[in-house]
Amino acid sequence: MTRKIRFMETILRDGQQSQIATRMPIEDMIPMLEPLDSCGFEALEVWGGATFDACLRYLNEDPWERLRIIREHVKHTKLQMLLRGQNLLGYHNYADDVVEAFVKKSVENGIDILRIFDALNDTRNLTTSIRAAKEAGGEVQAAICYTTSDVHTIRYFVSLASEMERAGADSICIKDMAGVLTPDVAYDLVREIKQATDLPLQVHTHGTAGIAQMTYLKAVEAGADIIDTCLSPFAEGTSQPATESLAIALDALGYDTGLDVDGLDRIAKHFATVRDRFIADGGLNPKVLEVEPKALLYKVPGGMLSNLISNLADLGASDRYGEVLAEVPRVRAELGYPPLVTPLSQMVGSQALMNVLSGERYKVVPKEIRDYVRGMYGRPPVSISKSIRRQIIGDDEVISCRPADLIEPQLPRLREEIACYARSEEDVLSYALFPEQARDFLGRREDPFYDVPVQEVNVTIDVR
């Protein structure tokens, strides 16, 4: 019997996030939503990640309205989003009442599957969002943030998958955000997880290091059920492997992908014109299309590489790129080997940049790094050494409880603060996640004479 391999299409979220920093407006998507719905995908990834922030900050779009528009056009294919557990779509932990309300509204507005992860693989930070998603009628895909270190063994990840199953996951995803999952490890890891759990298993990787297609093939051979791919105009490089190419290859190998390759080709032609426009106006840096074997050494996600380049250029320090790149794994090791995924990728990248540009390591330490060392983001995979901890936070106490247990309910205050502009609970939640950007957006919507305040420029690594 021919084995089915299903595809999740990422061009509307991670594909364009990885290559054009999530700047694709909804107008570029609408003409292809119904064709995408008819091509046979397991799901379309359309929301979450950096889409919410980018809509408010750069595109003058209501992210909730974007989701509703997509849902209106996509009648048959499941819509999927990426959620950062207790961080939601922001960069710090939110109170449980905010998490519960946000997850509920995400499902109400059209999301079917929530891929939920925690940057530290601390499952305590997943419990509220998993429970809220199940109560709202959504499917939960718990995501393992894949990375490498002495502690990140196959046994570690298999144990994590089993823990996620017990927490209520409907499926498991191996989320390789840096593109460093090698084919041999992929085969063993998929096989072991499939033996440990009966849940569907999805694999996500990036083409940054040039090995993604081999990784997917070995994952499929080992029993993976679903793979993440991106239509060719925004595929490869820091994005996912090309949908059409893998569909043709796997069909020829005897797998049933269920995809309409001719339909995919017609859709790709539309997005090729979108890509060419971004290339022409400089929104797509050709460097994100390059193969970067050093990713296998430094374990740096593709989006982080492209944003390091951008930030150093803004600071007039492009010649220090190699130094900053080499500093990233040193900082990561000293901070307990956190996986480099949002928000930890931004925090580690910022610290590496500051260590290099300040001329003295840890002379300048962002608040987020101090909070992380205090335990405010959760448990690091490896305990941080006393000397590094003392260097960063002195004699401050490190918490041991679930970080969100220390956060009082936030929604009553937030509703009051934004009452003059909010028309809905969705507006309040936009404000909860991105106060400045949402206030500006909602203010402009409600008052044509709204004066947008001048914002200070923060020198950080913006990894979206």
Side-chain angles (χ1 to χ4, degrees):
M1 181 176 177
T2 303
R3 189 159 74 87
K4 293 182 178 180
I5 300 297
R6 295 303 181 226
F7 284 57
M8 185 182 80
E9 175 56 48
T10 71
I11 196 167
L12 303 182
R13 206 288 294 177
D14 199 16
Q16 60 120 349
Q17 176 172 323
S18 296
Q19 294 200 349
I20 57 172
T22 333
R23 299 297 199 274
M24 188 186 295
I26 186 65
E27 288 80 9
D28 287 334
M29 303 177 186
I30 290 175
M32 291 297 109
L33 292 176
E34 291 175 20
L36 280 167
D37 190 23
S38 65
C39 281
F41 289 108
E42 174 71 14
L44 301 176
E45 189 188 37
V46 300
W47 215 55
T51 58
F52 203 97
D53 186 4
C55 281
L56 294 171
R57 190 186 300 262
Y58 302 112
L59 300 176
N60 196 34
E61 289 185 30
D62 182 342
W64 297 99
E65 181 62 19
R66 170 182 284 207
L67 175 57
R68 289 190 289 267
I69 290 171
I70 295 173
R71 180 78 283 175
E72 180 183 347
H73 289 275
V74 179
K75 303 292 188 183
H76 309 291
T77 309
K78 293 178 181 179
L79 299 183
Q80 186 157 329
M81 73 171 294
L82 182 68
L83 191 81
R84 302 168 191 149
Q86 205 73 26
N87 291 173
L88 294 176
L89 306 181
Y91 308 106
H92 58 80
N93 286 325
Y94 296 89
D96 284 340
D97 64 337
V98 174
V99 173
E100 291 162 355
F102 187 89
V103 169
K104 179 182 179 183
K105 286 297 180 182
S106 297
V107 174
E108 287 181 3
N109 281 272
I111 289 298
D112 298 297
I113 306 170
L114 297 93
R115 176 179 289 175
I116 305 173
F117 75 93
D118 176 67
L120 294 173
N121 288 321
D122 186 342
T123 54
R124 298 177 305 170
N125 292 332
L126 304 179
T127 54
T128 299
S129 50
I130 288 177
R131 174 176 49 78
K134 303 281 278 190
E135 290 176 354
E139 294 182 34
V140 172
Q141 183 174 93
I144 296 166
C145 291
Y146 178 80
T147 189
T148 60
S149 75
D150 290 343
V151 72
H152 290 100
T153 62
I154 288 177
R155 176 178 294 182
Y156 167 89
F157 289 123
V158 172
S159 175
L160 191 58
S162 297
E163 190 175 341
M164 289 173 167
E165 181 178 26
R166 291 193 296 272
D170 298 301
S171 63
I172 301 292
C173 174
I174 300 170
K175 177 178 168 57
D176 173 29
M177 53 280 171
V180 298
L181 178 61
T182 56
D184 59 320
V185 176
Y187 185 88
D188 291 340
L189 181 55
V190 168
R191 184 179 58 183
E192 293 292 330
I193 290 177
K194 291 295 290 184
Q195 289 176 354
T197 174
D198 293 327
L199 297 180
L201 180 60
Q202 190 156 341
V203 182
H204 171 95
T205 191
H206 290 252
T208 313
I211 61 172
Q213 293 92 340
M214 291 190 292
T215 294
Y216 274 159
L217 178 57
K218 297 305 291 185
V220 166
E221 289 177 352
D225 301 288
I226 311 166
I227 56 175
D228 292 3
T229 60
C230 182
L231 281 162
S232 54
F234 286 92
E236 308 300 342
T238 56
S239 179
Q240 282 75 51
T243 303
E244 308 97 302
S245 303
L246 275 172
I248 292 169
L250 289 174
D251 280 333
L253 287 170
Y255 295 98
D256 174 15
T257 67
L259 292 179
D260 174 7
V261 176
D262 290 336
L264 296 177
D265 182 62
R266 291 190 290 271
I267 298 168
K269 289 176 180 176
H270 166 82
F271 284 111
T273 64
V274 176
R275 174 203 59 202
D276 292 346
R277 188 183 78 236
F278 276 94
I279 291 174
D281 66 17
L284 196 161
N285 187 329
K287 280 190 172 293
V288 303
L289 304 177
E290 297 175 358
V291 174
E292 180 50 85
K294 287 182 180 178
L296 296 171
L297 301 175
Y298 298 134
K299 320 301 180 190
V300 177
M304 189 173 172
L305 286 173
S306 59
N307 281 284
L308 272 175
I309 293 168
S310 176
N311 278 268
L312 287 168
D314 291 343
L315 295 169
S318 295
D319 59 322
R320 310 294 296 276
Y321 174 67
E323 294 176 69
V324 175
L325 194 60
E327 178 68 3
V328 167
R330 289 195 286 267
V331 172
R332 177 174 175 257
E334 290 165 344
L335 295 182
Y337 290 103
L340 291 180
V341 64
T342 302
L344 268 301
S345 52
Q346 292 153 300
M347 293 157 55
V348 171
S350 294
Q351 188 63 65
L353 184 145
M354 291 175 183
N355 284 359
V356 170
L357 297 190
S358 70
E360 181 181 337
R361 304 185 78 242
Y362 300 106
K363 178 181 180 180
V364 180
V365 179
K367 176 182 181 297
E368 292 80 6
I369 291 290
R370 296 184 191 279
D371 285 346
Y372 165 74
V373 174
R374 291 189 183 101
M376 300 303 294
Y377 287 83
R379 285 187 298 252
V382 177
S383 296
I384 299 170
S385 71
K386 290 182 180 179
S387 60
I388 292 295
R389 192 169 69 231
R390 188 176 299 111
Q391 187 175 359
I392 293 176
I393 64 170
D395 295 326
D396 288 0
E397 184 180 355
V398 177
I399 70 166
S400 58
C401 64
R402 183 183 74 113
D405 289 341
L406 302 176
I407 307 175
E408 295 292 330
Q410 296 171 319
L411 275 178
R413 172 181 58 82
L414 293 165
R415 292 190 185 108
E416 183 178 346
E417 288 178 357
I418 199 62
C420 57
Y421 295 129
R423 299 177 187 172
S424 64
E425 186 79 344
E426 285 86 346
D427 288 346
V428 174
L429 292 167
S430 295
Y431 176 71
L433 267 62
F434 301 102
E436 292 182 7
Q437 290 74 29
R439 180 183 288 277
D440 293 346
F441 174 83
L442 298 173
R444 291 192 303 271
R445 186 189 69 184
E446 300 301 312
D447 180 1
F449 300 104
Y450 178 82
D451 185 20
V452 179
V454 177
Q455 298 181 14
E456 295 182 3
V457 176
N458 295 316
V459 180
T460 58
I461 303 297
D462 185 13
V463 180
R464 296 191 174 84

